[in-house]
């Protein structure tokens, strides 16, 4: 069995060499009979080269969700068929085939995605999952800007209400006339809460995305008071069109959205090496 241990390295940073956890993992893999090589990727093209051999199992050594997202995004890009060609055997409701499975080895920090998916964390457990474990499939979210999300997205939150239209399939969660305190588009539960409010309870393997919108509403006929109303729905695709712009965070990466964006689910597209029998 051949295994590659992939580490992402910032191009403008000095190279500290292999990390302790990665060295421990290599020892654990070799003890289980695997042939191991280590690769440091500074560019997306470096990641592409790692996945060229379909028989080589991949371990991503990572600190953050952003690093996991970057590699899954490259796997998706490589697997994506041409727009005019739908390969035979592609599951219904999918635009990409099954992605190559990944194991994730936490380094100095543990990516939140690892915790939320319940993946193994210690070098010995990761090695056992790669060599003897099973591949667990979870859903993946894609959007029309070309990116992906394993965990999910939160738009807004804090003290910056915004306005916009939010549609999930045929359900209108916000029509643009009300202020929105927060909106979550969730696959796993990393962004299922905002400002201490639990907005959604997603299942990362149910073939659907969970969307919730929190809006302030005035209630009471004589003694008016303000309360937070949370509108929830579950489905395949959501479109968010902010009236101006809104800040968001997606798999740990923050940004500003100033135009309409659509996210949709790819059921079971992502694969993860998991502990045997879990």
């Amino acid at each position: 069995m051949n295994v590659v241990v992939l580490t992402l390295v910032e191009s403008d940073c000095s190279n500290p060499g292999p990390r302790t956890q990665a060295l421990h993992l290599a020892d654990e893999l070799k003890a289980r009979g695997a042939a191991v090589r280590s690769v440091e990727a500074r560019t997306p093209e470096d990641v592409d080269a790692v996945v060229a051999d379909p028989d080589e199992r991949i371990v991503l050594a990572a600190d953050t969700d952003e690093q996991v997202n970057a590699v899954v995004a490259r796997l998706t890009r490589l697997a994506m068929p041409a727009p005019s060609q739908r390969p035979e055997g592609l599951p219904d409701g999918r635009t990409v085939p099954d992605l190559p499975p990944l194991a994730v080895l936490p380094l100095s920090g543990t990516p939140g995605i690892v915790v939320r998916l319940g993946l193994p964390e210690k070098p010995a457990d990761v090695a056992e999952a790669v060599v003897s474990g099973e591949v667990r499939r979870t859903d993946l979210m894609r959007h029309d800007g070309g990116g992906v999300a394993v965990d999910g997205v939160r738009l807004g939150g804090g003290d910056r209400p915004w306005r916009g239209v939010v549609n999930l399939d045929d359900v209108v969660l916000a029509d643009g006339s009300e202020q929105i305190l927060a909106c979550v588009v969730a696959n796993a539960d990393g962004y299922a809460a905002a400002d201490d409010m639990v907005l959604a309870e997603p299942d990362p393997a149910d073939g659907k995305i969970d969307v919730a919108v929190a809006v302030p509403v005035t209630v009471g006929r004589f003694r008016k008071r303000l309360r937070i109303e949370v509108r929830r729905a579950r489905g395949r695709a959501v479109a968010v069109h902010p009236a101006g712009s809104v800040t968001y965070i997606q798999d740990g990466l923050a940004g500003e959205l100033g135009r309409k964006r659509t996210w949709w689910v790819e059921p079971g597209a992502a694969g993860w090496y998991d502990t045997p029998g879990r």
Side-chain angles (χ1 to χ4, degrees), residues 22-272:
L23 294 174
H24 286 170
L25 174 68
D27 290 341
E28 294 284 353
L29 288 167
K30 291 174 183 176
R32 290 165 172 77
V36 184
R37 69 185 183 101
S38 298
V39 174
E40 293 176 340
R42 294 180 180 274
T43 68
E45 291 72 24
D46 293 338
V47 177
D48 296 350
V50 168
V51 301
D53 183 354
D55 296 323
E56 194 170 42
R57 300 189 177 188
I58 306 169
V59 179
L60 171 62
D63 294 291
T64 65
D65 286 347
E66 298 99 304
Q67 293 170 331
V68 178
N69 180 286
V71 172
V72 174
R74 294 308 292 183
L75 295 178
T76 303
R77 179 180 180 276
L78 292 173
M80 203 180 322
S84 61
Q85 299 176 355
R86 182 178 174 88
E88 293 183 7
L90 192 64
D92 291 339
R94 288 261 295 273
T95 64
V96 293
D98 289 350
L99 302 184
L102 284 176
V104 182
L105 173 70
L107 294 175
S108 59
T110 300
I113 289 171
V114 171
V115 176
R116 287 184 277 278
L117 296 183
L119 301 176
E121 300 179 29
K122 297 180 180 179
D125 295 336
V126 174
E128 188 65 20
V130 172
V131 174
S132 305
E134 58 187 25
V135 174
R136 179 155 64 95
R137 288 280 161 189
T138 65
D139 303 333
L140 177 70
M141 286 166 38
R142 293 183 58 207
H143 66 70
D144 55 3
V148 303
V150 176
D151 202 338
V153 189
R154 183 174 66 239
L155 300 104
D159 58 355
R160 289 187 58 190
W162 55 285
R163 296 179 188 271
V165 178
V166 181
N167 296 307
L168 177 67
D169 298 338
D170 296 327
V171 179
V172 179
L173 295 175
D175 63 7
S177 65
E178 303 163 294
Q179 288 189 326
I180 298 174
L181 299 179
C183 172
V184 298
V185 180
N187 183 44
D189 61 3
Y191 301 104
D195 300 327
D196 298 324
M197 295 184 295
V198 177
L199 302 181
E201 297 180 350
D203 178 347
D206 66 354
K208 297 180 180 180
I209 51 178
D210 285 57
V211 180
V213 175
V215 298
V217 295
T218 301
V219 296
R221 188 170 182 179
F222 300 107
R223 298 182 62 182
K224 297 187 180 299
R225 56 190 174 85
L226 198 67
R227 69 175 179 86
I228 306 303
E229 179 178 286
V230 180
R231 301 165 186 167
R232 301 177 176 89
R234 181 176 293 156
R236 183 180 183 276
V238 59
V240 178
H241 192 175
S245 65
V246 60
T247 58
Y248 71 89
I249 182 167
Q250 174 175 290
D251 281 4
L253 181 64
E256 192 87 10
L257 181 65
R259 66 174 205 46
K260 182 179 179 180
R261 174 155 291 173
T262 300
W263 287 266
W264 66 90
V265 67
E266 301 279 353
W272 313 92

